[in-house]
Amino acid sequence: MSLRTDAVNHVSHGNVNSPDIKGAKITGVFGENVFTLKTAREYLSDEAYKSLVASIKGGKKIDRTVASQIASGMRAWAESKGVTHYTHWFQPLTGTTAEKHDSFFTLKGDGTAIEEFEGAALIQQEPDASSFPNGGLRATFEARGYSAWDPSSPPFIIEIGNGKTLCIPTIFIAYTGESLDYKAPLMKAVESLNKAAVTVCNYFDKNVTKVTPTLGWEQEYFVIDEALVNARPDLVQCGRTVFGFTPAKGQQLEDHYFGSIPERVYAFMRDFENESYKLGIPLRTRHNEVAPAQFECAPIFEEVNIAVDHNILLMDVMTRVAKRHRLVVLLHEKPFAGINGSGKHNNWSLATDTGVNLLAPGKTPKTNLMFLTFFVNTIKAVHDYADILRASIASASNDFRLGANEAPPAIISVFVGDYLTKVLNDVETRVGSKFDEQDEAILKIDLHRSIPELLIDNTDRNRTSPFAFTGNKFEFRAVGSTANCALPMTVLNTIVADTLNKFAAEVDALIEKGDKKEIAIMQVIQKYIVSSKKILFEGDGYSEAWHKEAEKRGLPNLKTTPVALDAMVTEKAKKVFLENRIYTHAELEARHEIELEKYIKKVQIEARVMGDLATNHIIPASIKYQNELLKNVSLLREASLPEKLYKGQLTLLKDVSTHIQEVYDNVHEMVEARKVANNIENTREKAIAYEAKVKAQYFDKIRYHVDKLEQLVDDELWTLPKYRELLFLR
Ligand code: ADP
Ligand code: MG
């Protein structure tokens, strides 16, 4: 029996594995595996607790002796839950998370065995940096790196089987000071944004002392039976199918979206949601997505730093819990050709410590103007730095999705809705050199009544825009489903911080010249609207017409990762990241190099998997069928039947033979093209060669012939599970 038939049989016998979830209320388990401030209150001395709070709320440093008190409190709590080990948990540039477990258990000098967790071990550890990507930061690589405790993200306990580990969120830095992870730059960007936004907020409200970016991500994913996945080496190794004919029933009926969730998947969802609740991940919604076997979940938004950790944790939890249900979660942006891929919408806004959402239209003229200020500054930031924002979401896997007529195009534009378009036009035409105090009427635009209703309830939404205003937040939709949100969030927060700083400088200059504050603000807003107008687009982002129009407007349309990444290392990028203290030039160059290397490796692996599958699955199965046809034809000939009675077989034989030969030739040519690419020194040139000479040149061509063979060859001989089996078996 082939792996495929075995897998298909397995699925039909697979039963629902309902999770054993105690209690009905989510609040009963929520955060039970998190060292929250409430838990800290219980386990820490007054001094240790106050120091922890000061560090979380005000970024104050915790001194070593207090750290030891905190560490032993954490250990006492963790041990009460059966934890034996701890680890520093961080997000290196590989894109996954890293951990190295140590036990609390230790032997003292005199041989006594005790359990301990010292302050020093909480604050800092030294995992070997050399095995993580460092992008040519050679000195860094030799100097090694260390992980440093980030008190702003609470420690949590990961349960795997019966084993429990206390995870301490950390950042990962080189001894030479360069950051080697996704979190350290994000935290810097959050701080830059805080400073810039507080300055601007204070024009309107002196009470604001802190502004925090908020993030609510929406995670899309596919769920496929484990046995079927195991019978597809491409899914196992690349997370996507490199071959596969799109079945007669794809998503054209659109019957999956918001349809009822299959029972087996539902059991899985409840299980991973429950695990997520224990970890304090505030999941809120679950539903089917557009494609068959595709689903989505989303939490309540949180501070960006925590939201990023929670998303990474969730991806990990989902992957692990799926195993218990004999399912596999595919987080890849495009696991199946011909049906929708997956994204991770990043809903983003700014919250003040006075409880105001700065992107929610206000109720008074003053708060209206504050809203308009942050709204226009964000648009201006996206306009000025669209190329860097594009680079922040570039990856080999996202290339399959962006612009594939189901996802936002690679062209960055901003959608704001009819009403705000009118408001912007109004401001643009009415304010200006002739602006005087009588025109203060403009400040009284009645924003709050009209916008929320239109946008929040979906009536005025545009699903094709990569960056859309949705009533009280912006939604960055071009982020890929496998991505760590930290990178796009670092870029977005940095460019908005930068824009706000410039805004404040311009406003101050006008005030100094004698303008009234509100008038100065309106003038700069107007100037920003004029100068960033070309980024606004309300139409269909999927249409050919938009691609033409965008080109006319001079908006970049970089379709592939190797060239999109250029934007990370331009003079403009270096300047904005350095001035806002996010990345040094060396760090930027290193990251650029790492992203290019990741791209090359991904394409390389896919090309190899394609070659393997073609050689070991597709061609052998096709040759078997070719032989059967040959035998059949020669027997018919022996029986002296007139040829017109087996014309069909002859045509089949010819077609099968042609496709076999095409697959064979193209696979061999692709191997040669890879060899040429491998010999290129320069990483960027090499990535471009992998894109143009390997991927673009051969992937679709080989797939075309393989998918033809899939349609011709006897189903019994075909060894790889087909789309209709992967996607529709429940
Ligand atoms: P939809 O976009 O599907 O209509 P919602 O608007 O309710 O759904 O929210 C989508 C996501 O946006 C959720 O994760 C939600 O928490 C998040 N979100 C809502 N408000 C904010 C905000 N102020 N900042 C960041 N994210 C937010
Ligand atoms: Mg949404």
Side-chain angles (χ1 to χ4, degrees), residues 460-500:
D460 190 22
R461 284 214 184 167
N462 177 325
R463 307 237 157 242
T464 66
S465 174
F467 201 91
F469 184 69
T470 52
N472 55 4
K473 61 191 181 289
F474 279 99
E475 184 167 339
F476 188 18
R477 301 206 183 104
V479 185
S481 49
T482 56
N484 183 328
C485 305
L487 182 53
M489 286 298 108
T490 299
V491 171
L492 182 58
N493 290 318
T494 304
I495 63 179
V496 173
D498 188 69
T499 309
L500 288 170

Side-chain angles (χ1 to χ4, degrees), residues 214-218 298-301 347 349 357 461 472-473 475:
T214 50
L215 166 65
W217 38 262
E218 300 164 55
I300 297 165
F301 68 93
N347 295 274
S349 191
N357 174 355
R461 284 214 184 167
N472 55 4
K473 61 191 181 289
E475 184 167 339

